[in-house]
Amino acid sequence: MDGTGKLLVRIVVGGVFVGHGLQKLKGAFGGPGLEGTEKMVASMDMEPAPLQARAAALSETIGGAALIAGAATPAASAALIAAMTTAIRKVHWKNGPWNSNGGFEFNAVLIAVATALATDGPGIFSVDAAFGKKRWGIVGGLFALGGGVAASWAAVEYGRRAAEAKRDLAPAASDTATTTTPTEPATDTTAGTTADTGADTSAAEGSPEA
């Protein structure tokens, strides 16, 4: 039962993450795809948007698949915890705990499940068990939780600084474009008139209609 119960949890929770990751990565299941995900992360001050979007999509897709397989469970859990922690910080925290208000209860449950699996192990029906790691213990749980929170903090902080730098560069680029408008070169009016007249006469003489 230890193996069967954990396998069921891994399939359901890991499958949810894979689905959300593919929504972001490929636009599967009605998801936004990478283009939509880039716009979403950019709106949350998570720059550079292409990098942050791919990191979010891949952490959910690969982390979810690894959780289903029970492979490197603490590392897989850390990737998923990072994604959920970032979602809480950037989207759900301000709405309180309840999902009906757009809160973070669902994310918190997924973090708890991932931490529990990293601590107590993925069970006997797993890749980890095949290599003698049915259970990782408290070290595995702390690695998953601490690593996930740290990764989220790093991504959010890096994204915030990159977004601020991007905003600072925008006015500077605008000012540069304004102050470097090309001016018309000065010309000699007399010489220009003479040259133009000669050119017009020559053209007229060589024209078939002349």
Side-chain angles (χ1 to χ4, degrees):
M1 287 302 293
D2 171 69
T4 304
K6 289 181 179 179
L7 176 62
L8 177 61
V9 171
R10 284 175 15 231
I11 289 173
V12 172
V13 174
V16 167
F17 275 110
V18 170
H20 280 289
L22 291 176
Q23 283 182 320
K24 296 178 176 69
L25 192 63
K26 297 291 186 181
F29 313 116
L34 277 176
E35 184 178 350
T37 304
E38 287 179 17
K39 292 178 182 178
M40 178 184 69
V41 297
S43 71
M44 298 188 296
D45 271 0
M46 296 285 287
E47 295 284 355
L51 176 62
Q52 296 278 8
R54 283 162 176 78
L58 290 173
S59 66
E60 292 183 353
T61 305
I62 297 174
L67 194 71
I68 292 172
T73 305
S77 295
L80 303 178
I81 289 169
M84 291 299 94
T85 302
T86 301
I88 290 173
R89 293 179 64 189
K90 302 300 290 186
V91 180
H92 301 290
W93 181 260
K94 65 180 181 293
N95 299 322
W98 308 121
N99 197 54
S100 57
N101 296 324
F104 57 83
E105 63 173 315
F106 181 59
N107 311 92
V109 169
L110 293 175
I111 289 173
V113 171
T115 304
L117 286 172
T119 303
D120 206 39
I124 59 174
F125 303 122
S126 65
V127 173
D128 286 349
F131 287 92
K133 275 291 186 181
K134 289 190 298 183
R135 190 173 189 277
W136 287 91
I138 190 65
V139 173
L142 289 175
F143 175 87
L145 185 59
V149 171
S152 171
W153 179 88
V156 170
E157 184 64 17
Y158 178 76
R160 181 185 63 79
R161 293 185 181 185
E164 289 177 354
K166 185 177 180 180
R167 284 193 292 269
D168 290 342
L169 285 173
S174 177
D175 292 342
T176 302
T178 302
T179 56
T180 58
T181 303
T183 57
E184 292 295 331
T187 58
D188 187 322
T189 306
T190 305
T193 303
T194 304
D196 291 343
T197 304
D200 291 343
T201 304
S202 175
E205 290 174 351
S207 172
E209 291 81 13

